[in-house]
Amino acid sequence: MAEQAKTANRGVVQRMLSVVGVDGLASSVWGYVDTTIKWCWIPRWLPSWCPTSQSQLQSAEDMMLRGVNSPFSKQHVPVSSDNQLWTLIVSRDSVKHRTPMVLLHGFGGGVGLWAQNLDALSQHRPVFALDLLGFGQSSRPLFSSDAQEAEDQFVESIEKWRAKVGLESMILLGHNLGGYLAVSYSIKHPGRVKHIFLVEPWGFPERPDTVEADRPIPVWIKALGAMFSPFNPLAGLRLVGPLGPTLVQTLRPDFKRKFSSMFSDNTVSEYIYHLNAQTPSGETAFKSMTIPYGYAKRPMLQRMEQLQPHIPITIVYGSRSSIDSNSGSTIKEMRPQSRVEIITIHGAGHYVYADQPDDFNKRVLQVCVKVA
């Protein structure tokens, strides 16, 4: 019985470490934990600490998409023997011959967040929205802890997805992390990309050397940062367990406002919660790709010269966003022989496509007129 209790305790600790995305620490801390909580046995039949499940995520996504008027289908597309990418397809027979647009969400997102864009963007061409590997309803594998290898895993999954779906070429539209991966993919597979939309892209500039000199960081904040550095960005959401849904509603009431034309309840915050209360796979990969203050370990501006000059780029920023738009101007300067356009959507923040969906959709469609 004592050995069974010890095994159960080990399982509890490992599950808790998994919740915050640091399950790799299990073996190193178990020696200490084993001597301090032998008295604490948590039965496996108790409800999960986080009130979420795959079926709840599916239901939350269905609720997000109930306002989409265009016929659409959803399916898992296998990209390896173990992994699948969850895919939403909006395609009318009259536009199947046009170059499709592929939507890549940002960190912590999913296909449901494009609810206000799918009808408009699919008017003149097929639209594919997918949950990136490790996010949403896609498979959540173990990523490499190496930044380059984790990035390659993302990119390889997108290429295998494209081949499986049978797309010869595509327009890539990526928000946040999706924009970073759109360029990384295009560098490796330039013949498959006709146009890139970078919507409030993450990971392009290098971390400035003066980041602390310009804004001195209090010692206590540095101490907290060091203490929580082993944890994933959204670990707190899972650590609070049943309070998670309320935490999302309290800290991000703006999400409800962004979709107020579609929902008057907590549909969006519930979707956001279930997206990020699951196993932190893509989240862990993202953490491996970042350095303090949210900058990329491998800044994309350092690799822009590897992108073929024939690929046009449209960069979209929100006028009220805190994201530094200087990267857009830098990209334009670096590609004098290429078509680079910078668009600013007035009244929009980081989630441009949700803050001002009508203006965003209109501007994207205007650019896409030039793409067959």
Side-chain angles (χ1 to χ4, degrees):
M1 288 296 293
E3 185 60 32
Q4 289 178 344
K6 180 178 180 180
T7 302
N9 287 340
R10 182 186 296 270
V12 169
V13 174
Q14 288 176 329
R15 291 202 301 276
M16 288 300 293
L17 289 172
S18 178
V19 161
V20 297
V22 291
D23 45 308
L25 294 176
S27 58
S28 60
V29 303
W30 175 248
Y32 170 77
V33 175
D34 185 39
T35 62
T36 58
I37 65 165
K38 280 184 177 179
W39 55 268
C40 180
W41 178 70
I42 302 176
R44 290 181 179 273
W45 50 261
L46 283 179
S48 171
W49 176 243
C50 297
T52 188
S53 66
Q54 184 62 36
S55 62
Q56 286 174 289
L57 173 55
Q58 173 70 70
S59 297
E61 181 189 289
D62 290 342
M63 292 294 287
M64 283 292 298
L65 297 172
R66 71 183 187 269
V68 178
N69 296 315
S70 305
F72 62 87
S73 62
K74 296 186 289 184
Q75 64 185 80
H76 275 113
V77 176
V79 294
S80 70
S81 58
D82 301 317
N83 297 321
Q84 305 176 92
L85 296 190
W86 183 243
T87 306
L88 182 151
I89 306 169
V90 188
S91 181
R92 300 176 174 87
D93 289 338
S94 59
V95 298
K96 282 187 175 180
H97 63 286
R98 302 291 300 276
T99 302
M101 178 180 291
V102 176
L103 308 180
L104 305 178
H105 63 76
F107 173 74
V111 298
L113 294 181
W114 302 108
Q116 298 181 98
N117 316 105
L118 294 171
D119 285 329
L121 298 182
S122 63
Q123 289 178 4
H124 305 295
R125 67 186 67 250
V127 171
F128 294 76
L130 56 92
D131 284 345
L132 294 170
L133 188 66
F135 291 99
Q137 294 198 71
S138 290
S139 299
R140 294 180 176 240
L142 179 66
F143 278 82
S144 170
S145 60
D146 178 80
Q148 181 172 346
E149 291 178 2
E151 180 184 328
D152 289 343
Q153 284 177 262
F154 278 123
V155 171
E156 182 182 9
S157 70
I158 296 172
E159 169 57 12
K160 289 184 175 179
W161 172 88
R162 180 209 61 78
K164 192 70 176 180
V165 174
L167 305 184
E168 287 300 315
S169 60
M170 53 193 170
I171 299 169
L172 283 179
L173 188 154
H175 173 250
N176 186 265
L177 171 63
Y180 182 90
L181 295 178
V183 173
S184 181
Y185 174 90
S186 301
I187 289 173
K188 290 192 172 183
H189 307 281
R192 301 299 183 184
V193 181
K194 286 194 173 182
H195 198 105
I196 301 173
F197 283 90
L198 301 178
V199 183
E200 289 275 316
W202 166 85
F204 280 69
E206 298 180 42
R207 174 182 166 179
D209 295 332
T210 58
V211 66
E212 289 197 35
D214 294 341
R215 294 184 179 181
I217 309 297
V219 173
W220 67 272
I221 292 183
K222 290 183 180 180
L224 282 176
M227 183 172 66
F228 286 105
S229 62
F231 300 104
N232 280 337
L234 299 176
L237 182 66
R238 295 178 291 276
L239 279 173
V240 297
L243 298 178
T246 302
L247 184 67
V248 176
Q249 296 170 22
T250 302
L251 297 182
R252 295 305 306 265
D254 57 309
F255 274 116
K256 185 174 182 177
R257 293 194 297 270
K258 296 177 195 301
F259 291 84
S260 59
S261 63
M262 300 186 77
F263 316 109
S264 58
D265 55 12
N266 292 318
T267 293
V268 184
S269 59
E270 289 176 6
Y271 178 57
I272 295 292
Y273 172 74
H274 290 297
L275 280 173
N276 295 292
Q278 310 284 321
T279 303
S281 168
E283 180 184 337
T284 302
F286 178 78
K287 182 181 182 302
S288 298
M289 295 164 62
T290 63
I291 58 176
Y293 307 106
Y295 289 91
K297 284 183 180 178
R298 305 181 68 238
M300 192 56 69
L301 285 181
Q302 295 179 352
R303 290 178 276 161
M304 287 302 296
E305 72 278 358
Q306 300 176 35
L307 183 64
Q308 293 294 318
H310 73 270
I311 301 177
I313 302 176
T314 300
I315 310 167
V316 184
Y317 291 107
S319 65
R320 299 170 57 188
S321 173
S322 59
I323 295 294
D324 186 358
S325 61
N326 289 333
S327 292
S329 301
T330 302
I331 292 173
K332 193 165 187 174
E333 293 172 1
M334 294 174 68
R335 296 173 63 82
Q337 306 303 319
S338 305
R339 199 172 107 220
V340 178
E341 181 180 5
I342 301 174
I343 296 174
T344 300
I345 305 293
H346 295 288
H350 181 57
Y351 290 85
V352 190
Y353 58 90
D355 288 325
Q356 298 292 336
D358 292 339
D359 195 9
F360 175 83
N361 295 337
K362 178 183 176 183
R363 301 298 292 273
V364 170
L365 290 174
Q366 287 174 342
V367 173
C368 285
V369 168
K370 304 168 187 177
V371 185

